[in-house]
Amino acid sequence: MMKLTGNLSPQFMHMRKRKQTAAPSRGTTPHLATPRNESPRARALRHMRQALIDDRWLPGERLPTEIQLARELDMSRRTIRAVYQQLEIDGQVVGMGRAGRFRMTARVAPSATLQAASIGLISCFLSRTVKLQPQHRQWESVTAGIMDASVHGGRPILMINSNGLTADRLKELLHASLLGLIVPEPWTLPEKLLLNGLRRFRRAGIPVVVGDPSDVYMKYDRVLIDHTAGTRLAVQALLARGCKKILRVWTVHNTSWIQQRDAGYEQAFAGTDVAPLAALHVPELHQRTLEPDADAFHIRSRQYAGFLIEHLRRGKVDALLLTSDSDIFPVSAACRLCGLRPGEDILLAGFDHYWSCCWERALEPVTPFLTVDKQNRDWGEAMVQLLFDRLAKRLPQQPKIRWIEPQIVFA
């Protein structure tokens, strides 16, 4: 090692003195500052976690959108999306697709006090593992309406995933003494399992609201979509357009909501000089695939053509009323196979208002004349309001039904 000799410069002596002064003495522990990650993502994550601790949003309440939060924190939307994804992984936030993100309620062992002040929501569309198709995304809006109305009413939601729900788990919920229970889509559970559980709730005096028109739930309060009104409005709009030969094409039959639609169809013709047509029931179609499949689409189109050809030829029909929006595209292709131009020679009317999200659009780029929007968010809010009215004893003892009237959307 080289040894320094001679006189040291004043600058060097000053640096050496500072270094010696800064060194800790023996027997003492130096104070080391904890490193702090100041990246935009880390700062946004700290901000959101603190906001959740401070109860800026109540359990079940909708959180700001990515754009709103990005503006508030002056950060990129990509950063905010990463923060929300981390909060979902942490179990603090639940994403409901286009309905938005919501603050999650306690996922395990919430206190009896919290449960007793909560409204139970049983749904299969609460899991991140469920891949929603366009026709099922309506349930995101239903759930969003339920959450909004619950929070505004001062009650948190205890969310219960119906996937894997057992009789024992239903008994546990009964012992939790919930304020009430909402089951918007009971068809996702085994009927016997659910009915047995709901009977126990009724005997315990815990109100239940169901979103299904089946008579097996007639002993419970229900909020239902008025398919009669929705179909009547759709047919009246077609009649006003000049259509006189409107054919119903049902892929489902012997259900209460199809019976409602048939009633609405008949009502629309009452008082007119136009004669209604008998409904066409199309049984056992090739199953619609959830992922794009051109071969399956063409099979369905040709099957539809086989059922429709005798009605389409020689101008026997000028409009088709379909079961749901996903039927619009194979039926449109079927019309072309029969020599008709959809939208010109014949009008197509759907139901459920999700046609713009269907993968079949890429194969058959048609636009329906109209579709029926079931007002799903209003449906969810009405379930909560009905439950609140029942809890406040504003209703007669017998079960109550409230109807949600759909709206027509011209595409």
Side-chain angles (χ1 to χ4, degrees), residues 172-342:
E172 291 176 11
L173 291 174
L174 183 65
H175 297 321
S177 300
L178 296 169
L179 275 175
L181 187 67
I182 297 177
V183 190
E185 68 276 351
W187 46 269
T188 63
L189 281 164
E191 186 176 283
K192 183 177 180 180
L193 169 70
L194 181 59
L195 285 174
N196 287 338
L198 296 187
R199 289 190 195 101
R200 294 189 180 97
F201 274 84
R202 188 174 73 249
R203 288 196 293 266
I206 301 173
V208 175
V209 177
V210 181
D212 191 287
S214 174
D215 288 343
V216 299
Y217 301 108
M218 64 187 303
K219 295 182 179 179
Y220 305 95
D221 291 328
R222 290 180 289 174
V223 178
L224 306 176
I225 301 298
D226 193 343
H227 288 266
T228 300
T231 305
R232 183 178 64 248
L233 291 172
V235 175
Q236 287 173 343
L238 290 168
L239 290 170
R241 178 63 184 267
C243 299
K244 295 186 177 182
K245 293 166 283 188
I246 304 169
L247 178 66
R248 293 161 286 171
V249 183
W250 300 147
T251 57
V252 179
H253 45 89
N254 297 328
T255 66
S256 58
W257 54 272
I258 284 292
Q259 292 170 3
Q260 290 178 38
R261 292 191 189 184
D262 286 335
Y265 177 88
E266 298 289 341
Q267 289 176 12
F269 285 97
T272 71
D273 58 354
V274 181
L277 302 179
L280 171 63
H281 294 282
V282 181
E284 299 181 359
L285 276 174
H286 186 79
Q287 186 175 4
R288 178 180 183 249
T289 60
L290 301 181
E291 301 295 336
D293 186 332
D295 291 337
F297 174 80
H298 292 310
I299 291 173
R300 284 172 61 84
S301 300
R302 282 161 174 75
Q303 287 177 327
Y304 267 120
F307 283 99
L308 287 170
I309 188 167
E310 64 178 289
H311 299 275
L312 298 180
R313 62 186 178 184
R314 294 191 299 275
K316 290 184 177 180
V317 173
D318 50 25
L320 298 175
L321 183 62
L322 306 176
T323 308
S324 192
D325 277 7
S326 61
D327 298 302
I328 290 168
F329 307 98
V331 168
S332 173
C335 290
R336 294 183 193 279
L337 289 172
C338 296
L340 296 180
R341 297 166 297 175

Side-chain angles (χ1 to χ4, degrees), residues 39-45 48 65-84 101:
S39 69
R41 180 180 179 278
R43 286 189 284 113
L45 189 57
M48 289 299 293
T65 65
E66 293 174 2
I67 295 177
Q68 290 170 338
L69 192 56
R71 289 174 179 170
E72 177 183 339
L73 302 182
D74 193 22
M75 294 181 182
S76 71
R77 185 175 178 181
R78 182 176 181 180
T79 297
I80 299 304
R81 183 178 298 117
V83 168
Y84 270 138
R101 293 181 176 90

Side-chain angles (χ1 to χ4, degrees), residues 123-187:
S123 173
C124 73
F125 299 109
L126 301 173
S127 173
R128 289 168 53 83
T129 62
V130 175
K131 184 176 181 181
L132 296 181
Q133 297 302 315
Q135 67 270 29
H136 294 148
R137 286 178 182 156
Q138 61 175 314
W139 300 106
E140 292 179 338
S141 297
V142 174
T143 303
I146 292 172
M147 290 179 169
D148 277 351
S150 300
V151 172
H152 292 159
R155 298 297 181 183
I157 287 285
L158 183 65
M159 294 185 284
I160 306 125
N161 196 326
S162 64
N163 292 323
L165 191 63
T166 63
D168 289 340
R169 178 57 177 149
L170 283 171
K171 290 180 182 178
E172 291 176 11
L173 291 174
L174 183 65
H175 297 321
S177 300
L178 296 169
L179 275 175
L181 187 67
I182 297 177
V183 190
E185 68 276 351
W187 46 269

